Amino acid sequence: MKDNILYIVIPCYNEEEMLPITYKALKSKMESLIKSKKISKESKVVFVNDGSKDKTWEIITNLHKKDKMINGINLSRNKGHQNALLAGLLTVKNECDIAISMDADLQDDINAIDKFIDEYKHGSEIVYGVRSSRKKDFWFKRVTAEGFYKFMKLMGVDIIFNHADYRLMSNRVLNDLAGFKEVNLFLRGIFPLIGYRNSIVEYERHERVAGKSKYPLKKMLSFAFEGITSFSIKPLSLVLNLGLIIMIISILVMIYCLIVKLLGYTVAGWTFITISIWFLGGLQMLALGIVGKYVGKIYSEVKARPRFIVQEYLNK
Ligand code: UDP
Ligand code: MG
């Protein structure tokens, strides 16, 4: 395969209002890409139905019947956006040369696809779609969303700023993705780990055309928590460092208490209790931190991630 067969993979959960609009927009985009010979005629749009409760699957089935450019994958139940996307990508990984993942709501500007493909042709294996501005977002969404990326970085997770799940992946990257067996999925953390040559394409994020957002603040918080706990053991190191700091403070407290006692400013028992509280508190925190370090190692072992990915092997 090197015919530039493009598959656009779209997870859909209760998107009956959106699907006809999305289909129309993508259909004309695909046709113009085929016409300008940027992609193969065999390219497809793949809708993944993530256990929707409305007519989403019915619509996908009908689209597939009348248009051979449309493929459909039906999951047995709702598994969430990340799992639905992974299901789509891994199902098509041997059928396409290039895959692009995007949402069903057309918030990601489909005109960026041209630039994605240009970058791919210039040798990028992964192209990250990055929002150029969040002017159109409500200030609260903007502040929380940008805070999300900054906090993740602070917590030691390597992610691309303002990049969600709008990205191009080469066939090779899809096959490497299959090597990540983790159950707690946070896809945008995995791709930087895969590596290779990659690039960024900026695009303007639009408002949702129809239907409602399935990502309220509560889900976003749990998503951030998932991301940190799936990608970083920094919080465990923080506990260890805190333990060390409290131990140092407890020595200072000890000196202070003894001085106060020698000067005779204390009531009976105060010195002993105060020193004990600081010392035991610090000791416990330190012990927890050490246990945490081991837990952190178990966690990395259990994930059994690929230890390396070979980019080239010159042997002839
Ligand atoms: N989605 C999904 N499963 C879910 C929730 C959402 O497949 O359990 C899909 C949804 O249909 C959409 C994409 O994930 O295509 C992103 O969802 P949404 O647009 O609601 O999120 P937001 O853009 O508001 O963050
Ligand atoms: Mg959306």
Side-chain angles (χ1 to χ4, degrees), residues 103 105 107 205 208 213:
D103 290 350
D105 54 10
Q107 282 191 282
R205 174 112 161 145
R208 198 176 233 283
S213 168

Side-chain angles (χ1 to χ4, degrees), residues 10-15 48-52 78-82 84-85 102-105 107 131 141 205 208 212-216 219-220:
I10 304 177
C12 309
Y13 177 62
N14 294 347
E15 298 284 6
V48 184
N49 176 34
D50 185 20
S52 300
N78 180 255
K79 281 298 209 170
H81 170 251
Q82 296 286 295
L85 182 53
M102 60 182 282
D103 290 350
D105 54 10
Q107 282 191 282
R131 291 164 206 179
K141 173 91 184 172
R205 174 112 161 145
R208 198 176 233 283
K212 275 203 283 291
S213 168
K214 280 105 202 156
Y215 267 102
K219 259 200 186 170
M220 224 163 83

Side-chain angles (χ1 to χ4, degrees), residues 109-129:
D109 182 10
I110 58 171
N111 293 317
I113 293 179
D114 299 77
K115 286 191 219 146
F116 276 29
I117 292 171
D118 291 343
E119 290 294 333
Y120 168 76
K121 293 197 170 154
H122 289 134
S124 288
E125 303 274 348
I126 306 175
V127 184
Y128 299 100

